């Protein structure tokens, strides 16, 4: 196409279809009039392109042999949005903002469904922010394709559970965990940020070029990404999965009540398995660790959503029996839409309760379960909350609310709606439950803080401090410039105080 022609991009007269090598292309009825597809040959190859074109036409799609301005959807394989834009630019074509740039996965799903399927972030090719299309022709008044900018803050990104970069994020989660085990905080943060930003991307990283303009993907992180793209795996991660220290720390910290210090001690003493630790007469265990060992199998098998819902019913019933106006919200990973979790978290608050009633509630609830034989472990932490105290500046500071860390006995019939007649095993499962009680005025801050994810919370606080001169924690938001506490009745109001777009819990899986 010569530049003059391309700038005006006039529709072409239909030429007879080219015949592909093996498939005869008979004319097909067009069933989906609104879509006009063009399949990019670059990196796909002509044979595969011809095959996909024929297949799509047979399914009733209109597919053009050449790019014309009637095309609505460009389908590409192994190309990023920026690659496609560059190709278009090379052809002297400026894309209109309505043109869809899609990965071949979308077309393949359409073929499976026999009709156009919804285009989601997974399918849409994103053009990096540093891609600045050079204007081709002053005659062309169509605005360029929207250029997306990815924030360095997780609280300015929408991160659903739809992660299309698992291959990378799994690696960075392991690398971050190893740094945590080695108490190398700087590298730990570096890897966690990389995993977090990758989880938010609506497209899979296919080439190193795709990482351009995305924050936190430089240096060491970039080398790991490069290696995974080239070899399909990271040699460092592979080595870690066989590393004595990593394996032992992972195993030891999987016991409820075992933290880094204990894991380190057991490792230095030469222990490598849980059975040898348990049998050793010289070791003493905390009450928490004893419970952890006793219920180990149940606690390592994750909590399902059905189990979480059953626990929710138990909590709700017990709480309102003592404080009828109390509000109970499930927080943590389940509120973010996760299907499994390591525990179930609840936030409890009451608009009417006196301070004494508020302080008594968690004790009454756990006593009640104890009497019913449902309490397998209980650790109460009393409130150290002081009104008007400035929020904590520390990104990972613990809050001051009254709470209890529990292990509850959940009977299987509470989970399965139809009670099975032949119950296997013991008929119940030990479940970790966290209950938090907060003053009514703090409920929005507490809900935001206990919904997570941890990375999302860290970045909310970092954002408040660095971008707004405010201090945020699980209790309050303080404006340092105005020297006032900013009140909030809902999470939406907290985001608004911070000048942030509201991010739904389902989009906080950073
Ligand atoms: N949290 C907190 N203070 C604590 C413990 C937790 O503020 N002492 C917050 C964290 O922000 C965390 C949320 O409560 O995101 C839930 O914690 P946790 O249960 O550890 O994590 P989940 O995100 O629920 O993940 P999982 O499914 O593993 O339970
Ligand atoms: Mn949780
Ligand atoms: Mn928890």
């Amino acid at each position: 196409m010569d530049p003059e022609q391309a700038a005006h991009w006039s529709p072409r007269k239909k030429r007879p279809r080219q015949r592909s090598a093996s498939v005869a292309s008979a004319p097909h009825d067009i069933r989906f009039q609104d879509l006009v597809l063009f399949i990019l040959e670059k990196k796909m190859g002509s044979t595969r392109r011809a095959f996909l074109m024929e297949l799509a036409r047979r399914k009733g799609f209109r597919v053009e042999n050449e790019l014309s301005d009637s095309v609505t959807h460009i389908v590409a394989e192994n190309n990023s949005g920026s690659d496609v834009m560059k190709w278009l630019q090379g052809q002297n074509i400026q894309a209109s903002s309505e043109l869809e740039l899609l990965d071949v996965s979308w077309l393949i799903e359409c073929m499976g469904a026999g009709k156009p399927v919804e285009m989601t972030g997974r399918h849409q090719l994103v053009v990096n922010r540093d891609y600045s299309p050079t204007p081709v022709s002053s005659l062309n008044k169509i605005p360029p394709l929207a250029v997306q900018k990815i924030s360095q803050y997780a609280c300015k990104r929408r991160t659903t559970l739809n992660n299309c970069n698992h291959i990378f994020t799994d690696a960075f989660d392991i690398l971050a965990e190893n740094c945590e085990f080695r108490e190398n905080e700087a590298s730990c943060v570096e890897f966690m940020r990389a995993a977090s930003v990758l989880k938010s991307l609506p497209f899979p990283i296919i080439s190193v070029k795709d990482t351009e303009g995305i924050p936190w993907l430089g240096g060491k992180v970039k080398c790991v990404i490069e290696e995974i793209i080239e070899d399909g795996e990271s040699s460092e991660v592979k080595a870690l999965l066989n590393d004595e220290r990593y394996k032992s720390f992972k195993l030891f910290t999987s016991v409820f009540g075992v933290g880094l210090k204990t894991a380190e001690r057991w490792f230095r003493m030469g222990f490598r398995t849980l059975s040898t630790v348990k049998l050793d007469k010289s070791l003493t265990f905390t009450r928490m660790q004893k419970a952890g060992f006793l219920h180990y199998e149940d606690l390592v098998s994750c909590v399902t959503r059905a189990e979480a819902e059953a626990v929710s019913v138990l909590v709700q019933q017990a709480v309102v029996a003592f404080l009828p106006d109390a509000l109970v919200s499930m927080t943590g990973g389940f509120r973010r839409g996760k299907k499994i979790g390591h525990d179930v978290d609840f936030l409890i608050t009451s608009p009417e309760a006196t301070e004494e009633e508020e302080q008594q509630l968690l004790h009454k609830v756990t006593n009640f379960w104890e009497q019913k034989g449902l309490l397998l472990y209980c650790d109460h932490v009393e409130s150290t909350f002081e009104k008007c105290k400035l929020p904590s500046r520390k990104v990972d500071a613990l809050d001051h609310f009254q709470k209890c860390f529990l292990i509850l006995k959940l009977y299987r019939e509470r989970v399965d709606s139809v009670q099975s007649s032949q119950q296997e095993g013991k008929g119940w499962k030990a479940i970790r439950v966290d209950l938090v009680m907060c003053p009514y005025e703090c409920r929005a801050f507490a809900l935001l803080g206990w919904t997570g994810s941890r990375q999302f919370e860290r970045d909310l606080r970092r954002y408040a401090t660095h971008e707004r001169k405010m201090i945020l924690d699980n209790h309050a938001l303080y404006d340092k410039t105005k020297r006032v506490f900013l009140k909030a009745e809902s999470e939406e109001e907290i985001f608004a105080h911070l000048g942030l777009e509201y991010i739904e819990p389902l989009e906080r899986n950073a």
Side-chain angles (χ1 to χ4, degrees), residues 25-40:
S25 40
H28 302 284
D29 290 340
I30 294 168
R31 291 170 56 209
F32 313 108
Q33 301 286 347
D34 299 343
L35 280 73
V36 184
L37 312 188
F38 174 78
I39 304 179
L40 192 65

Side-chain angles (χ1 to χ4, degrees), residues 190-444:
E190 191 185 341
F191 291 135
M192 284 193 301
R193 284 180 176 160
S196 174
V197 76
L198 287 166
K199 285 174 192 173
S200 78
L201 298 180
F203 57 91
I205 296 286
I206 294 166
S207 77
V208 179
K209 267 197 288 171
D210 297 337
T211 65
E212 283 168 23
I214 301 175
W216 310 122
L217 301 185
K220 177 83 201 289
V221 166
K222 192 170 184 166
C223 296
V224 176
I225 293 180
E226 251 162 8
E227 200 191 349
I228 296 175
I229 290 171
E230 276 166 31
D231 308 337
E233 61 182 4
S234 148
S235 53
E236 199 180 334
V237 170
K238 202 174 166 190
L240 273 181
L241 295 175
N242 281 308
D243 176 65
E244 283 283 290
R245 187 187 155 100
Y246 176 82
K247 284 195 293 184
S248 305
F249 269 63
K250 185 90 183 143
L251 183 66
F252 297 157
T253 56
S254 73
V255 180
F256 175 57
V258 177
L260 293 183
K261 291 280 163 291
T262 308
E264 171 103 46
R265 193 166 64 245
W266 293 350
F267 180 74
R268 281 174 192 253
M269 289 171 80
F271 293 108
R272 296 294 180 268
T273 65
L274 290 179
S275 50
T276 50
V277 169
K278 269 197 290 191
L279 292 173
D280 196 278
K281 294 277 184 298
S282 71
L283 295 175
T284 53
F285 302 113
T286 63
R287 198 169 61 84
M288 206 182 218
Q289 291 162 354
K290 283 179 193 159
F293 278 120
L294 193 58
H295 304 294
Y296 184 75
E297 293 304 329
D298 279 0
L299 297 184
V300 287
S301 85
C302 286
V303 183
T304 64
R305 177 161 286 276
E307 286 162 349
E309 294 298 342
V311 173
S312 175
V313 173
L314 273 181
V315 174
Q316 195 87 35
Q317 284 174 344
V319 167
V320 297
F322 300 106
L323 256 187
D325 75 336
L327 304 167
V328 180
S329 319
M330 198 192 284
T331 61
F334 286 108
R335 183 160 184 255
R336 302 196 306 274
K338 279 177 64 177
K339 296 213 162 51
I340 53 167
H342 94 281
D343 68 355
V344 201
D345 308 282
F346 295 93
L347 178 70
I348 305 165
T349 189
S350 153
E352 301 290 340
T354 63
E355 259 180 50
E356 201 193 336
E357 283 172 328
E358 199 176 289
Q359 192 276 328
Q360 287 297 311
L361 181 75
L362 293 184
H363 294 279
K364 287 180 180 164
V365 166
T366 53
N367 283 340
F368 170 75
W369 284 332
E370 171 127 60
Q371 280 159 24
K372 298 187 92 182
L374 298 180
L375 197 66
L376 299 170
Y377 173 85
C378 173
D379 182 14
H380 279 279
V381 179
E382 289 303 325
S383 165
T384 50
F385 179 64
E386 295 165 50
K387 270 189 194 163
C388 307
K389 199 172 163 221
L390 282 192
S392 170
R393 283 160 203 276
K394 287 201 200 125
V395 175
D396 276 320
L398 294 179
D399 64 45
H400 298 277
F401 298 130
Q402 186 194 22
K403 44 183 114 48
C404 53
F405 306 110
L406 312 173
I407 300 177
L408 287 188
K409 192 178 207 174
L410 181 68
Y411 281 100
R412 199 144 302 282
E413 67 252 30
R414 299 197 71 100
V415 182
D416 307 328
S417 48
V418 187
Q419 196 180 337
S420 78
S421 49
Q422 331 157 233
Q423 255 174 14
E424 270 178 47
K426 59 194 192 308
W428 56 267
K429 181 174 167 183
I431 309 260
R432 273 272 300 114
V433 176
D434 288 341
L435 302 184
V436 182
M437 184 82 201
C438 78
Y440 192 65
E441 316 79 69
C442 296
R443 69 195 183 286

Side-chain angles (χ1 to χ4, degrees), residues 62-80:
R62 180 171 157 198
V63 188
E64 297 292 61
N65 287 326
E66 291 182 44
L67 199 51
S68 72
D69 60 1
S70 57
V71 168
T72 57
H73 294 59
I74 295 184
V75 176
E77 186 161 47
N78 294 329
N79 280 278
S80 70

